[in-house]
Each structure stands twice: as C-alpha cells, then as structure tokens.
Amino acid sequence: MDKIILGRYLPGDSLIYHLDPRGKFLLTFYFVGIVFFANNVASYALLLAFVLFAVYLSKINFGFFIKGLKPVFWLILFTVILQLLFTPSNNPIWHWGIFTLSKEGMVISAYIFMRFILIIFISTLLTLTTTPIEISDSIESILKPLKRINFPVTQVALMLSIALRFVPLLVDETTKIMDAQRARGVDFGEGGLIKRIKSFVPILIPLFVSSFSIAYDLAIAMESRGYKDGEGRSKYRVLSWARRDNLTIIFMIGLTIILLFLRSY
Amino acid sequence: MEKIISIKNLNYTYPEAKTPAINDLSLDIYKNEWLSIVGKNGSGKSTLTKLIDGLIEASSGTIAVDGQEINEDNIWDARKKIGIIFQNPDHQFVGATVEDDVAFGLENQGMPREQMIIAVDHALELVKMSEFKKRDPQSLSGGQKQRVAIAGVLATRPQIIIMDESTSMLDPDGRKTVLNLVEQLREQQDLTIISITHDIEETELSQRIVVLNDGQIVKDGKPEEIYDLGPELTNYGLEEPFSSKLMSTLRESVKLPEGYLSGRELKEQLWKLHSNM
C-alpha cells in the first residue's frame, strides 16, 4: 500500500505548493490535453523541459517521481513494445511474420513513452504538492456553476471531503481486520483464483459492517453539531487567487503558443 | 438552583424492541452542576442523551431545555445550547484538519469567517491544542483527538456539555487530562456537565450521581451516598469503588468508622489508627 506515490501528498514548502489548488488542478488537466498536440522532437523536448522545470521548482526529490512510475512500468513497457513491433512501414529494418521493426515505429514508440512520462510526472506533481482537501475544495469550486441546474454541489463536496478524511481510517480498519482473520487462520494470497477471492469475504463483510457503524456515529455527531442540509452554512476554508497564479496561467499560454509554433514548424 | 434540563415521564422504546429503553423517567438537571449518569450497558444512558438532544423522538413525555419544551420546531435552537462529545473520537471527526473540524459547528451556524477564525483559535487554546491546528486528525493520539472534539463543542459556546462515555477509549493519563479540563471549564464558564459512564471511578469529579437500570432511575444522590451503597452497586452492573472494596476487606480485622470514606479520608483514618497502636 505504501509503494504507490501517485495520489499521495508530501508536505513541503515551495512555489508550487503555494499556487492556488484550483489553478493547479485545471492546469494539470490542461497540460495533459496539450501533451497530445506535440508531434515532433522539438515539441516533446519543450514539454519535457517544462515538466522538469516544474519539478525543479517544487523542490521535491526527483526520486519520488521515478518511484511514481513504478506501478505503471509494465503498462508503459507493454505499450511501447506493441508500438515498436506493430507499426506498419514501407521500408522495415527487420521483418518476421506479423512483426515489423522500423524507424517510424521507433519514433512513435519514443513519443508514446514520452507521453506517459510527461503525464505521470505532472499528475504526480499535482498530488504530491496538493492536499486531498485542497483538491476536493477545487472540485467544489469548479463544479459551482452546476448549482444552477440544481446539482447538489455543497453536498457532493462534503461527501468528497468526508470520503477523503476516512480513507486512512478505513485502511487501518482493513489491516486490523486482516490481522484478526489471519490470527484465526484465514490465509490471504494462497491457492487458486476462486480460493483467493473467497478468502476476501471475511475482510469485506466486517469492513462493510464497520463502515455502516462509522457512518451512523458520524451522522449523529454531525447532527448534534447542528448540521442541517448544507444550506445557510458559512465557510471556514477559502481559497485565494494571487498574482503568482495569474503568472502561471500566462506562462502556460506562452508554452501553448510555442508548442503550436513548434508543431507546425 | 436553576433548572437547565427538566425531563418528565419520558418513555422510549426502540423499534422492534420488546422492553422500553427509557421507562417513565423524570429528572431535573441544574445549572452549573456536574451530573454523572451511571449504569451498565443497555441501561438506557446513551438513549437518554440522544433524546435530550432530539436525535431520536420520545414515545411520550416531555423534555425542557433551558425552560423551553423541545419539539420539532425549536429543536435546532435547543441543540445550539447542547454540545455532545461522543465515545469514539475517530468516528466524530468531520474536518480534514484539526481547525476545520473545530470550525464545523460554527459553519453550520453560518458564522462569518472573521469571527470563526477568532473562535476556532480561542477554542483550541482552551484545550491547549493550538500548535496542532494544521494537523491531520489521523496523526493525533486518542486523548488529543478527544481534546479537539471538546474544542469543537466549546467553539459553539453551549450551556450544556454531554460526555457520552467520551473518556472510555483513552488511557488513564488522557482520561485525567480530559476530565480535569472539563471541570476547569465548568467552573469558569458556568457550564452544566452531564457525564455518562459505566465506570464508577470516573465519577469522582461529579456533584451528583444518578444510577440508571433498565431505563429507570434507581438511585439519585451525592457521590458519597452512591459510593456508600458498596456491594449493592453490583446489582446494577457497576463495580464497587476501590476504597469501598478496600474498606470491606480492612473491616475484617481493623475497626473503621461507618459509612463511605474517600481515598484521602481512608488514608487519614489509617494514620490515626496506626499512631494509636
């Protein structure tokens, strides 16, 4: 469980940490979008330079980003090899049955590899520098326009922040239940597929039951503290948009323009 | 003495239960008093707290909080006057950080943000948790979590604090800190404390103890009177207090005065006997 870097927050203090989470959240999505515009060596080099610059600004140890690649390593390798061997070409270097190795194939697989790296690095950067609650706050404020069509934005945001807040508690609970079941002789991760799936029942059912009891306790506690239905509430936490956020956006626009230029170049 | 809560002929039966959880219970609670409600599991203690806060609806009978009988229309006003600290600190945390959690009740009241910041800081200072303001609740110890829960209740400035077995999951140190803190606040701020427990040793700070059994009040009196019941307490599923157990053992060989003695009084008695020998 602790090996997964993507989606984890790392306390720190640098410019990237102080950016408004809404801006960071949207710009990350925006960046993932423009990665697909890159189509030659120069444009990929530009995007890579940008990502490495952002990583440098965050002052986070580069090792974390490499670790972030680990869980998807096999997926990247699989896709890259597939592209390498199955790209049709008119003048292949090597040909055997359905497999073709060619210069075009190599270029395309290199691009695919770069896309993976860029997307994983930038999303790891977002989650490492933004607390879950900041992300849920950003989602709430981004969804706010939906209020007009009677979408329950505040309730969804509360649900999201409670869900985030209970993730570590439920992970603890799961380990506790697993240990308790192990002590009673349940063997996890042994035997065939069916047997393995069956061995998870003694975890899932107690976990569901305890989730119900936590939900009940929490609902009672919330009601006793005066929570009605999300209407008429004030907000303690507010996000503030600063000059550095505007600058980041201008920087991103600049990057897009250069990218479009390099693309058609 | 002024009444803050007045309960008359209260009845409550859980759906599908055969016997009532609260059976024709009447009780007056006075301002600034520390009242302990004790009883074994299933004696109706927690049900009573939920009824007082209007979290469940009574089958019959009335509850008046601060002179006003509670009904569906004014329950939210009554709830503002009552703060409850529950048993499991993990299950009552709403906020993602300590300060967010303390602010939750204030947000519900729609308090403007500037006032909220002051109120949150003040409440955290009272429980001495200011330096943990930005922390994630999961990183705190049980006692610290419970102190944050108290801060969340204090921030809304209630007149009554109900502690529903809120120290039962803490270690002896954490329990002592929390109880002493509440006692201090009661003295300073004219609060009324209702503490619910099944551990008789936890009632040492209270001024009055009510013993509940099968949804009825079986005893109501000063701590000395209740402790004096000695072995009779076991009939209600409670343990005898330590010094009362010690005295009954000592009485087999030593002549001690009648009635209940607290730990300190017992010690003095023993010193006296020792010097007479």
Side-chain angles (χ1 to χ4, degrees):
Chain A
M1 278 270 186
D2 5 304
K3 277 181 195 138
I4 300 165
I5 294 294
L6 191 75
R8 244 215 290 174
Y9 172 71
L10 199 73
D13 181 41
S14 68
L15 173 72
I16 305 280
Y17 280 94
H18 296 303
L19 288 178
D20 189 286
R22 285 168 295 184
K24 245 193 294 187
F25 192 74
L26 286 178
L27 285 180
T28 302
F29 274 92
Y30 176 75
F31 185 83
V32 170
I34 63 170
V35 162
F36 293 93
F37 280 118
N39 64 349
N40 54 31
V41 178
S43 48
Y44 274 110
L46 173 76
L47 293 182
L48 184 66
F50 168 78
V51 169
L52 292 180
F53 178 61
V55 168
Y56 166 74
L57 279 184
S58 73
K59 292 183 187 162
I60 294 174
N61 188 341
F62 196 67
F64 278 106
F65 292 87
I66 302 295
K67 263 192 219 155
L69 285 177
K70 262 189 193 158
V72 283
F73 176 76
W74 292 106
L75 181 71
I76 298 176
L77 198 70
F78 179 70
T79 323
V80 167
I81 289 177
L82 224 56
Q83 281 292 339
L84 202 60
L85 295 178
F86 290 96
T87 308
S89 163
N90 292 326
N91 49 358
I93 305 169
W94 176 77
H95 191 84
W96 184 78
I98 49 166
F99 303 112
T100 324
L101 188 70
S102 67
K103 211 184 144 203
E104 294 98 313
M106 283 186 201
V107 172
I108 290 179
S109 46
Y111 287 172
I112 299 265
F113 177 73
M114 282 301 295
R115 273 183 207 167
F116 267 114
I117 299 282
L118 290 173
I119 291 171
I120 290 166
F121 273 18
I122 202 80
S123 42
T124 310
L125 183 69
L126 173 76
T127 55
L128 282 182
T129 60
T130 319
T131 58
I133 197 68
E134 281 178 328
I135 293 181
S136 90
D137 277 352
S138 328
I139 295 174
E140 178 182 10
S141 103
I142 291 163
L143 289 182
K144 215 167 236 164
L146 291 182
K147 235 180 194 167
R148 268 194 218 140
I149 56 164
N150 286 330
F151 184 76
V153 176
T154 39
Q155 279 91 327
V156 169
L158 185 79
M159 241 158 62
L160 206 64
S161 68
I162 289 176
L164 285 171
R165 130 102 188 87
F166 276 90
V167 167
L169 186 75
L170 287 176
V171 170
D172 279 0
E173 197 78 26
T174 313
T175 352
K176 231 187 271 169
I177 294 170
M178 277 178 89
D179 287 345
Q181 301 290 25
R182 262 200 209 107
R184 300 166 66 188
V186 179
D187 207 346
F188 300 110
E190 281 283 312
L193 186 68
I194 302 290
K195 203 182 162 221
R196 279 193 190 202
I197 293 172
K198 269 190 184 159
S199 74
F200 272 91
V201 173
I203 308 177
L204 282 183
I205 291 176
L207 195 62
F208 267 118
V209 173
S210 81
S211 306
F212 279 123
S213 93
I214 293 175
Y216 178 75
D217 284 354
L218 184 69
I220 289 278
M222 283 171 68
E223 201 177 337
S224 83
R225 291 174 70 182
Y227 181 79
K228 261 186 266 184
D229 52 5
E231 295 309 315
R233 297 186 79 225
S234 55
K235 270 181 80 76
Y236 178 73
R237 227 178 15 248
V238 290
L239 300 170
S240 63
W241 192 268
R243 209 168 70 101
R244 52 175 175 264
D245 298 302
N246 287 330
L247 289 177
T248 321
I249 287 195
I250 292 169
F251 190 74
M252 269 319 240
I253 293 173
L255 185 80
T256 315
I257 293 169
I258 304 174
L259 180 73
L260 289 176
F261 176 73
L262 285 178
R263 185 182 138 86
S264 51
Y265 178 65
Chain B
M1 271 194 295
E2 205 178 335
K3 281 181 202 165
I4 184 105
I5 295 180
S6 174
I7 301 168
K8 279 200 186 84
N9 308 96
L10 196 67
N11 278 292
Y12 183 79
T13 311
Y14 279 101
E16 287 164 41
K18 283 199 185 90
T19 48
I22 296 290
N23 190 358
D24 202 32
L25 186 144
S26 296
L27 175 68
D28 286 329
I29 299 166
Y30 301 95
K31 230 174 210 171
N32 200 226
E33 150 175 80
W34 181 312
L35 173 77
S36 285
I37 301 178
V38 295
K40 62 182 172 200
N41 290 335
S43 57
K45 295 167 298 179
S46 292
T47 311
L48 185 60
T49 24
K50 284 178 191 151
L51 285 166
I52 293 174
D53 204 34
L55 298 166
I56 48 179
E57 205 180 331
S59 319
S60 68
T62 61
I63 300 170
V65 175
D66 203 14
Q68 205 170 26
E69 197 175 299
I70 54 171
N71 54 41
E72 232 168 273
D73 300 321
N74 62 20
I75 182 62
W76 292 100
D77 293 325
R79 243 169 233 168
K80 270 186 199 168
K81 292 174 189 157
I82 304 172
I84 309 184
I85 307 160
F86 292 94
Q87 180 174 23
N88 191 334
D90 272 324
H91 296 182
Q92 51 182 316
F93 254 109
V94 190
T97 61
V98 165
E99 52 174 350
D100 283 327
D101 190 69
V102 176
F104 180 74
L106 302 173
E107 289 179 323
N108 291 334
Q109 295 180 359
M111 185 187 268
R113 186 163 180 267
E114 297 74 38
Q115 289 177 34
M116 240 189 308
I117 292 170
I118 301 167
V120 168
D121 282 346
H122 180 67
L124 282 174
E125 223 164 87
L126 281 176
V127 300
K128 301 199 178 62
M129 286 292 288
S130 300
E131 53 184 314
F132 297 93
K133 203 173 152 183
K134 303 271 177 203
R135 285 274 282 275
D136 157 28
Q138 218 52 40
S139 68
L140 304 176
S141 74
Q144 290 171 328
K145 281 181 198 166
Q146 210 56 293
R147 267 148 73 191
V148 175
I150 296 175
V153 162
L154 288 178
T156 54
R157 301 192 159 273
Q159 297 173 30
I160 305 153
I161 292 183
I162 303 178
M163 302 208 295
D164 190 355
E165 298 192 25
S166 40
T167 55
S168 65
M169 299 185 99
L170 305 181
D171 58 19
D173 254 1
R175 172 184 296 186
K176 210 168 254 172
T177 326
V178 166
L179 289 177
N180 286 334
L181 173 76
V182 172
E183 169 60 11
Q184 223 177 357
L185 293 167
R186 185 190 67 82
E187 278 172 5
Q188 288 165 4
Q189 309 196 1
D190 205 29
L191 284 165
T192 306
I193 309 290
I194 304 170
S195 152
I196 289 173
T197 174
H198 52 242
D199 183 357
I200 199 96
E201 303 285 344
E202 234 184 78
T203 54
E204 53 186 353
L205 287 170
S206 51
Q207 295 154 341
R208 187 174 144 213
I209 299 177
V210 166
V211 183
L212 220 58
N213 200 29
D214 293 333
Q216 283 175 318
I217 294 176
V218 283
K219 296 281 170 203
D220 180 347
K222 289 201 166 102
E224 305 87 79
E225 293 166 33
I226 302 295
Y227 298 153
D228 203 19
L229 296 170
E232 200 193 328
L233 281 169
T234 47
N235 297 345
Y236 310 121
L238 295 164
E239 225 183 317
E240 250 182 273
F242 174 72
S243 63
S244 137
K245 265 193 282 185
L246 183 63
M247 278 197 299
S248 49
T249 317
L250 284 173
R251 279 208 176 102
E252 287 167 14
S253 48
V254 185
K255 211 175 140 43
L256 283 171
E258 290 290 304
Y260 174 80
L261 297 174
S262 70
R264 197 190 297 136
E265 287 166 338
L266 182 60
K267 198 173 85 185
E268 270 166 23
Q269 277 300 325
L270 289 175
W271 272 119
K272 226 188 240 169
L273 284 169
H274 180 72
S275 57
N276 287 347
M277 267 203 296

